[in-house]
Amino acid sequence: MIELTLARIAEIVGGRLHRADGSETVTGTVEFDSRKLGHGGLFVALPGERVDGHTFAAKAVEAGASGVLAAREVDAPAVIVPPAAANSGIYALEADTDGSGAAVLAAMAALAAHVASELAAGGLRVIGVTGSAGKTSTKDLIGQLLEPLGPTVTPPGSFNAEIGVPWTVLRADRDTRFLVLEMAARGAGHIANLCRIATPSIGAVLNVGTSHVDEFGSREAIAQAKGELPAALPADGTAVLNADDPYVSAMATRARVLSFGTGDNAEIRAEDIRADELDRARFTLVTPDGRAEVALGLHGSHQVPNALAAAAVAHAAGAGIEGIAEALRIATPRSGKRMEVRTRADDVLVVNDAYNASPEAVRLALKSLATMGRSATPPRRTVAVLGAMAELGAESARLHDEIGRLAVRLDIAKLIVVGEGARPVHTGATMEGSWGEEAVFVEDPDAAVRLLRAQLRPHDVVLIKAANSLGFWRIAEAVLAEPTAATTTDGGTK
């Protein structure tokens, strides 16, 4: 973050000084986890599931923090912030029982907005990314494509909402040239509020799916929420929109539109798409600057739209086509549990895609599994371990049923359905024609692990995917622990 005194921070957020004369200067990072604080940092006292951050204020300063951003008086130098206004745009934290969390979040958002505005005046370019699926992978790609152009800040993992966006903004300093922000929403107005913290000059919308449909009510409402990003762009900005998704391509913006996709109407497009035996895509990248061959190291042909979106952002930021193609070639996964492919010593291929699961993402993962199975020499037996998909509302049973039917149509050799929430997947597979031991229902992840240990064969490929809250990555780790140390797909140990 840029250097600021506590007095200046109090002025920016509308707070008051407590146990401080105001000369204390924040020179380090802004953190809500006191364990990550370094010398000169600012501790943000947020309520957590088990403890309230206010109770760690004194320890944070003892560890080197210059001060604390708090909603009530603490035993440390602090800026005490007023209650959050009803229209502050902060949506509720589950652990925020007394409103202190909303107050501190509103203050952190105000501080981030000030920093973003000051840095934008000095040349910082802000890039926003949203969509129903692929946000995190695309954000990671964008970061890797922009880094050759200058210092770039991107958030870790899926840090993309009311805490993650201002926290990421506050990682930027006067040397930062690009700030990449992943933007998620759980309701109307959320992305618009995030854009008010740091207004993007480039905004990319990847797709509109059914993730969180129980909260939004319809796909049209989801599209309206995602459309808040291009609507927030300035007239001299660039809206990077998916030409293959009619919900996205129809979004309104006053900015210039740069389209991406696989059709001839897309300005940034992929031609001659093919995949290798590990479903790593190869294609010809076409841009207004010319053509270049791209070979992705990321697993899953569904990474092609993500790569195109990242290429479009980089193009808008001034990158040349050869630089884009090379950066895509060497790009690596930066966020775990997303199409993370590792190989056991007995050549069992484990695809850990357990971070999250929307209907669209599960369909794509199953197709990738099928590709890895049939493209190998000799072909690999395919095994899918699927758990429940969350936040699907009244459509949940139908959408789970469709996944089971798709697994059968893709000729997945063995389907292991885990937990009551996913039972319709097993029902759909059975109704589609699966028989005997091809589709099996088990009660919990432990039962799935026992079944896999008993039935996996050398050279199999197994996909593990479910809602993140179910922790299915533990299934992947258990499978990889046998029979001996796992290796990466490029032959190294991991």
Side-chain angles (χ1 to χ4, degrees):
M1 191 179 86
I2 61 176
E3 291 190 11
L4 292 170
T5 64
L6 289 190
R8 181 65 179 124
I9 291 172
E11 181 182 355
I12 292 166
V13 304
R16 62 180 174 85
L17 293 172
H18 168 73
R19 296 197 176 190
D21 63 18
S23 65
E24 300 85 353
T25 304
V26 175
T27 58
T29 61
V30 177
E31 305 288 357
F32 53 86
D33 184 341
S34 61
R35 297 167 297 182
K36 296 181 179 179
L37 276 165
H39 181 75
L42 178 68
F43 178 56
V44 179
L46 288 174
E49 294 180 2
R50 299 180 181 86
V51 294
D52 186 342
H54 288 81
T55 63
F56 290 91
K59 289 183 178 180
V61 173
E62 289 173 5
S66 294
V68 180
L69 195 62
R72 59 179 182 270
E73 292 186 353
V74 293
D75 189 19
V79 173
I80 309 300
V81 300
N87 62 350
S88 66
I90 301 298
Y91 39 107
L93 296 172
E94 291 182 6
D96 189 15
T97 57
D98 60 2
S100 63
V104 175
L105 278 177
M108 187 165 70
L111 180 60
H114 171 85
V115 169
S117 177
E118 186 166 328
L119 293 179
L124 175 73
R125 300 191 71 178
V126 179
I127 293 92
V129 184
T130 193
S132 294
K135 294 185 294 296
T136 300
S137 296
T138 303
K139 169 265 300 179
D140 290 342
L141 284 172
I142 290 171
Q144 292 175 80
L145 267 62
L146 295 180
E147 284 164 3
L149 303 182
T152 301
V153 170
T154 60
S158 295
F159 216 39
N160 55 25
E162 72 277 19
I163 298 176
V165 168
W167 179 87
T168 304
V169 172
L170 293 170
R171 315 310 274 185
D173 58 27
R174 298 195 189 281
D175 293 328
T176 306
R177 184 174 178 188
F178 299 103
L179 172 62
V180 184
L181 301 174
E182 180 180 340
M183 296 182 170
R186 299 199 295 269
H190 290 172
I191 290 176
N193 287 325
L194 297 177
C195 288
R196 280 191 279 271
I197 294 173
T199 302
S201 63
I202 304 173
V205 185
L206 307 180
N207 45 57
V208 173
T210 53
S211 180
H212 305 297
V213 72
D214 64 326
E215 295 173 325
F216 286 96
S218 68
R219 198 167 182 179
E220 288 72 18
I222 295 172
Q224 186 173 0
K226 302 300 182 187
E228 292 169 8
L229 174 54
L233 299 174
D236 61 351
T238 302
V240 174
L241 302 180
N242 186 352
D244 296 339
D245 187 322
Y247 285 100
V248 176
S249 60
M251 289 178 177
T253 182
R254 56 181 173 168
R256 178 216 167 193
V257 173
L258 179 62
S259 61
F260 69 92
T262 57
D264 292 340
N265 60 327
E267 294 175 79
I268 307 293
R269 63 183 182 272
E271 296 179 350
D272 189 25
I273 301 171
R274 61 258 186 221
D276 67 9
E277 71 280 0
L278 294 175
D279 201 27
R280 294 173 295 198
R282 309 289 187 266
F283 59 91
T284 302
L285 174 66
V286 181
T287 78
D289 293 339
R291 296 168 170 262
E293 294 303 310
V294 171
L296 292 179
L298 306 177
H299 299 277
S301 296
H302 54 276
Q303 296 284 3
V304 172
N306 299 339
L308 292 174
V313 169
H315 173 80
I321 186 169
E322 294 300 331
I324 291 172
E326 175 61 14
L328 286 174
R329 184 188 69 79
I330 64 176
T332 59
R334 289 187 171 178
S335 301
K337 308 179 187 73
R338 296 166 177 85
M339 291 302 292
E340 190 175 270
V341 179
R342 295 166 67 183
T343 309
R344 287 194 335 192
D346 61 352
D347 198 37
V348 168
L349 202 65
V350 180
V351 184
N352 180 359
D353 199 28
Y355 182 80
N356 219 336
S358 66
E360 293 79 15
V362 177
R363 292 186 196 107
L364 292 171
L366 284 172
K367 291 177 182 177
S368 186
L369 172 66
T371 298
M372 291 182 189
R374 66 172 175 264
S375 299
T377 305
R380 295 179 182 269
R381 186 177 72 128
T382 51
V383 180
V385 182
L386 303 180
M389 301 177 288
E391 300 174 326
L392 298 178
E395 294 293 292
S396 181
R398 178 182 66 82
L399 292 169
H400 281 86
D401 178 277
E402 289 179 355
I403 292 298
R405 294 174 185 272
L406 177 63
V408 175
R409 292 197 294 273
L410 290 172
D411 199 26
I412 302 302
K414 189 171 188 67
L415 174 65
I416 301 173
V417 180
V418 186
E420 281 298 326
R423 190 180 282 275
V425 176
H426 182 260
T427 302
T430 303
M431 297 299 292
E432 190 68 19
S434 183
W435 53 273
E437 293 298 309
E438 291 177 342
V440 178
F441 175 82
V442 297
E443 295 288 344
D444 54 45
D446 289 341
V449 170
R450 289 193 296 270
L451 188 61
L452 289 166
R453 284 172 173 165
Q455 297 190 6
L456 278 181
R457 310 168 189 165
H459 201 61
D460 284 353
V461 53
V462 54
L463 166 72
I464 298 156
K465 192 162 183 65
N468 184 46
S469 60
L470 298 177
F472 271 36
W473 59 268
R474 295 182 182 88
I475 298 177
E477 292 301 320
V479 172
L480 284 165
E482 297 187 9
T484 56
T487 63
T488 62
T489 52
D490 62 4
T493 60
K494 185 172 181 179

